[in-house]
């Protein structure tokens, strides 16, 4: 990947988003349902886009929300709908549009109104808390966020009564119905004004913040943190958790400093990401330069992305921890310090996460449950208790309460962030030092990801590859042990290909939003070996893509 000269530097004025223009485009531009890029499209995390390119406009949100109302009615989901937004500029108008539709359809809505922000995991927590012990009148939710995406973007996601990201069958139904509504010019939607929606008898104010914070002590050992007398730094990166962190510190009497308490939809306080864009990605060393520069002021520090479902952990010893490293640390610690957890509960990971997780999990005597990319694959296991910890390589994780019961079924950046403080206090050393101990025992993997151009046709071919299309028996000097197109945990298609040897692997899958494919790779034999894996991976993929006649 070509690194921008702006990467890691403060955002210059010329790259800041013109927020008035962005919001004006949301209301004034009308998408053309005949153009694929302007239709409703649910990826792994809902519908995302920008009003500047007609992929996230008022019409999209009106259509999606009406579709959700129809889906609820068809599936007899008649409890309250919990709704919240993050701090992206397009989230406010999208919330307004959604409330107008929900009120007109008579949906009981739980909201903080137009003035406050609600993190993704808090919505999931609210749904599960309400539904506990119920079999009828179940709640669901809408999360308005494009996650860590640039300031120009908006996002809209539906969470069904299980509290997690909706599965493919659900999102496909909502997507198809929404596009029908776009094609008909929104003639059959039910809509009222925002003023009437906010005053409607079905619209209720909900105290998300205090309800969530009061329960945190049931998933994190706050006594260990408080008694450890450690100094904690947190940067909400201007996101939806911005008003949560100080109340958390006050409620649990933690020595925590909130470094950025302000919301600015341009996110001008960020340092620029690798490609020259502003992106609130706590796993990116370029985006995290400000917090990394303060690492020696705190015993542990961390940041969360805009909707607080991704974490970034900064230690004194090594600075920013790569997500895969921290997942391994969490697993090693939690399964030795949570006596209330089931002895049979497994570890969940995605197929593109590090194999250091496999080795740590095996040493703990736990089962590994490996799934395709997408947090939705973990929801059922978290709900039924068969999974105690789940994580993905993009810095998303969730884990059980202290007593072993489900906490959230969506990614929650609060709890792995606070866990880093618990680990530091309990172990007397920070997670970076603990990872060194882990690699001394299991080896030190080197991990990387590259991108390559791919047409839409090639992306379809890549997602439909079969193991028979890989004709080599060795990779980077080692015998190939496994060629996978389905995840070992649930046998679901990974939408690409994974090839593994004893000491290395690669996985290739198409991007859901760009004309590229991604290759993830890892080696336990060093950087040179990884470079060979990535080089041969590109050759393998290119050869497979050059033979479309073998794909049905």
């Amino acid at each position: 990947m070509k690194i921008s000269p702006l990467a890691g530097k403060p955002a210059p004025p010329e790259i800041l988003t013109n927020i008035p223009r962005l919001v004006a485009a949301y209301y004034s531009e009308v998408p053309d349902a005949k153009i694929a890029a302007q239709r409703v499209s649910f990826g792994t995390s809902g519908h995302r886009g920008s009003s500047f390119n007609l992929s996230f406009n008022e019409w999209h949100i009106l259509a999606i929300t009406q579709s959700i109302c129809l889906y609820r009615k068809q599936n007899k989901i008649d409890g309250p709908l919990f709704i919240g937004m993050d701090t992206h500029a397009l989230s406010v108008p999208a919330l307004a549009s959604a409330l107008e539709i929900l009120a007109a359809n008579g949906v009981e809505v739980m909201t903080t109104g137009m003035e406050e922000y609600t993190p993704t995991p808090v919505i999931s927590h609210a749904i599960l808390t309400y539904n506990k012990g119920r079999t009828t009148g179940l709640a669901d939710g809408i999360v308005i966020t494009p996650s860590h995406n640039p300031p120009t973007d908006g996002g809209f996601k539906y969470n069904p009564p299980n509290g997690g990201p909706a599965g493919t069958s659900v999102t496909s139904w909502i997507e198809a119905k929404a596009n029908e509504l776009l094609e008909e010019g929104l003639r059959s939607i039910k809509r009222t004004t925002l003023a009437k929606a906010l005053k409607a008898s079905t619209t209720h104010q909900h105290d998300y913040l205090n309800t969530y914070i009061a329960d945190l002590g049931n998933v994190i050992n706050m006594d260990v943190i408080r008694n450890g007398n450690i100094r904690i730094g947190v940067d909400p990166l201007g996101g939806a958790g911005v008003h949560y962190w100080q109340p958390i510190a006050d409620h649990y009497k933690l020595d925590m400093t909130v470094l950025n308490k302000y919301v600015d939809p341009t996110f001008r306080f960020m340092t620029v990401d690798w490609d020259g864009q502003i992106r609130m990605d706590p796993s990116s060393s370029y985006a995290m330069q400000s917090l990394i520069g303060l690492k020696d002021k705190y015993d542990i520090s961390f940041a969360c992305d805009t909707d607080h479902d991704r974490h970034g952990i900064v230690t004194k010893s090594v600075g920013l921890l790569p997500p895969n490293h921290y997942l391994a640390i969490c697993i090693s610690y939690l399964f030795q310090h949570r006596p209330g957890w089931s002895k049979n509960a497994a570890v969940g990971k995605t197929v593109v996460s590090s194999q250091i997780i496999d080795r740590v999990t095996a040493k703990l005597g736990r089962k590994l449950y490996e799934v395709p990319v997408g947090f939705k694959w973990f929801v059922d296991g978290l709900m039924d208790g068969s999974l105690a910890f789940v994580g993905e390589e993009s810095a998303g994780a969730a884990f059980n309460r202290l007593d072993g019961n489900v906490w959230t079924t969506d990614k929650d950046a609060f709890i792995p962030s606070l866990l880093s403080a618990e680990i530091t206090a309990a172990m007397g050393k920070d997670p970076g030092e603990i990872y060194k101990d882990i690699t001394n025992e299991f080896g030190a993997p080197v991990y990387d990801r590259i991108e390559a151009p791919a047409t839409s046709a090639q992306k379809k071919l890549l997602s439909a590859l079969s193991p028979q299309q890989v004709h080599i028996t060795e990779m980077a000097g080692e015998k190939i042990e496994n060629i996978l197109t389905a995840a070992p945990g649930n046998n679901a298609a990974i939408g690409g290909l994974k090839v593994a040897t004893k000491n290395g692997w690669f996985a290739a899958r198409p991007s859901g939003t760009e004309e590229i494919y991604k290759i993830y790779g890892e080696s336990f034999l060093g950087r040179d070996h990884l470079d060979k894996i990535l080089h041969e991976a590109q050759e393998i993929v290119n050869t497979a893509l050059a033979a479309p006649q073998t794909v049905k």
Side-chain angles (χ1 to χ4, degrees):
M1 297 182 288
K2 184 178 180 181
I3 305 300
S4 166
L6 296 175
K9 299 177 181 177
E14 58 268 22
I15 73 168
L16 299 181
T17 300
N18 185 319
I19 301 301
R21 279 190 58 232
L22 184 73
V23 175
Y26 174 87
Y27 286 108
S28 62
E29 301 290 338
V30 177
D32 185 346
K34 296 179 182 177
I35 300 175
Q38 296 181 27
R39 290 171 65 83
V40 172
S41 177
F42 275 77
T44 54
S45 296
H47 175 78
R48 295 185 186 179
S50 173
S51 60
F52 283 151
N53 58 22
L54 283 86
S55 57
F56 192 94
N57 294 79
E58 182 183 34
W59 276 44
H60 294 110
I61 306 309
L62 296 174
I64 296 171
T65 309
Q66 183 64 55
S67 299
I68 290 172
C69 292
L70 295 172
Y71 177 82
R72 297 180 95 242
K73 185 175 182 179
Q74 178 173 299
N75 290 275
K76 297 180 173 57
I77 302 170
D78 52 7
L81 183 143
F82 292 88
I83 190 169
M85 65 174 177
D86 77 355
T87 55
H88 277 79
L90 289 177
S91 295
V92 176
L95 176 61
S97 300
L99 290 174
E100 292 170 0
I101 297 292
L102 293 168
N105 282 270
V107 176
E108 299 285 340
V109 174
M110 311 299 280
T111 177
T112 57
M114 302 300 298
E115 303 297 328
E116 193 47 79
Y117 311 102
T118 308
T120 289
V122 176
I123 297 287
S124 178
H125 177 270
I127 295 169
L128 294 181
T129 300
Y130 183 87
N131 288 342
K132 186 177 181 180
R134 298 176 188 268
T135 56
T136 60
L138 298 178
D140 55 0
I142 290 174
V143 187
I144 302 173
T145 174
S147 189
H148 61 289
N149 280 26
T152 53
D153 287 9
F156 203 83
K157 185 175 73 169
Y158 175 64
N159 284 30
N162 62 24
T168 304
S169 62
V170 178
T171 56
S172 295
W173 193 97
I174 294 171
E175 177 184 304
K177 184 61 66 174
N179 283 319
E180 286 180 19
L181 293 170
L182 288 182
E183 290 164 1
E184 68 166 34
L186 303 182
R187 285 193 302 272
S188 60
I189 68 169
K190 296 179 181 179
R191 185 184 186 186
T192 186
T193 65
L194 178 61
K196 290 180 179 178
L198 291 172
K199 294 178 181 178
S201 61
T202 52
T203 301
H204 312 282
Q205 287 287 316
H206 182 69
D207 185 1
Y208 286 105
L209 184 147
N210 288 302
T211 303
Y212 178 84
I213 290 175
D215 206 14
L216 273 172
N218 292 312
V219 67
I220 296 294
N221 194 328
M222 296 294 188
D223 291 339
V224 168
I225 301 175
R226 182 172 52 255
N227 296 336
N229 296 315
I230 60 172
R231 289 169 297 127
I232 306 166
V234 55
D235 189 344
L237 299 182
V242 66
H243 297 147
Y244 279 67
W245 286 108
Q246 192 59 53
I248 289 172
D250 295 341
H251 186 92
Y252 292 102
K253 297 179 174 57
L254 306 181
D255 184 1
M256 179 187 294
T257 302
V258 185
L259 299 171
N260 186 348
K261 300 181 180 181
Y262 307 103
V263 172
D264 180 343
T266 67
F267 296 90
R268 66 181 70 234
F269 47 79
M270 292 295 300
T271 50
V272 179
D273 205 4
W274 66 273
D275 58 354
Q277 292 200 68
I278 295 174
R279 190 178 285 110
M280 289 60 68
D281 182 355
S283 66
S284 166
S285 61
Y286 301 106
M288 287 279 282
Q289 279 300 300
S290 296
L291 188 58
I292 293 170
L294 298 173
K295 71 180 181 68
D296 293 328
K297 289 189 63 176
Y298 305 99
D299 295 301
I300 192 71
S301 52
F302 41 78
C304 302
D305 71 336
T306 328
D307 69 320
H308 273 49
D309 72 346
R310 298 190 187 203
H311 59 271
I313 310 300
V314 176
T315 67
K316 275 187 174 182
S317 60
V318 299
L320 179 66
L321 278 171
N324 278 308
H325 295 194
Y326 186 56
L327 293 180
I329 296 161
C330 290
I331 293 163
S332 178
Y333 175 84
L334 284 168
F335 283 92
Q336 297 180 77
H337 292 82
R338 291 296 187 267
W341 285 10
S342 167
K343 300 300 182 183
N344 298 319
V347 173
K349 62 167 273 192
T350 57
V351 292
V352 295
S353 299
S354 174
Q355 282 189 347
I356 193 77
I357 293 172
D358 305 41
R359 299 184 181 190
V360 170
T361 300
K363 177 66 180 296
L364 292 166
R366 295 282 177 163
K367 180 182 177 182
L368 185 71
Y369 183 71
E370 190 171 356
V371 300
V373 173
F375 212 78
K376 61 187 177 185
W377 301 109
F378 296 130
V379 173
D380 290 344
L382 289 168
M383 285 291 287
D384 66 21
S386 61
L387 294 174
F389 177 94
V390 298
E392 55 185 15
E393 80 297 333
S394 56
F399 50 88
N400 286 350
R401 294 169 179 267
L402 296 169
D403 65 6
N405 288 314
V406 62
W407 170 252
T408 61
T409 47
D410 213 330
K411 292 174 285 190
D412 187 338
F414 286 102
I415 57 172
S417 295
L418 289 166
L419 183 66
S420 70
E422 181 187 330
I423 292 171
T424 302
M427 304 301 289
K429 49 187 174 181
D430 71 41
E433 296 170 301
I434 293 173
Y435 185 73
K436 291 180 182 177
D437 296 338
I438 289 174
T439 57
N440 285 339
E441 182 175 1
F442 299 108
V446 184
Y447 182 97
D448 204 354
R449 190 187 82 182
I450 60 174
E451 298 173 353
T455 64
S456 296
Q458 287 175 323
K459 286 167 61 177
K460 288 181 180 179
L461 288 171
L462 178 56
S463 65
L465 284 178
S466 68
Q468 290 71 33
Q469 289 174 263
V470 178
H471 301 294
I472 61 173
T473 58
E474 288 192 354
M475 180 175 69
E478 290 193 308
K479 181 182 177 182
I480 292 175
E481 296 183 348
N482 288 300
I483 302 175
L484 303 174
T485 55
N490 59 359
N491 203 37
I494 63 177
L497 182 74
K498 182 175 183 178
V499 178
T501 64
K502 179 181 179 180
N503 291 295
W505 61 270
F506 83 85
R509 57 184 295 270
S511 168
T513 57
E514 301 174 87
E515 295 298 287
I516 60 173
Y517 67 83
K518 301 175 183 180
I519 295 178
Y520 308 77
E522 183 176 57
S523 170
F524 279 82
L525 299 180
R527 183 73 219 191
D528 289 345
H529 186 243
L530 175 60
D531 287 341
K532 291 178 182 177
I533 289 174
L534 293 174
H535 176 74
E536 293 184 23
Q538 281 198 284
E539 291 184 344
I540 291 170
V541 172
N542 291 341
T543 299
L545 293 180
Q549 69 276 8
T550 62
V551 181
K552 296 182 180 180

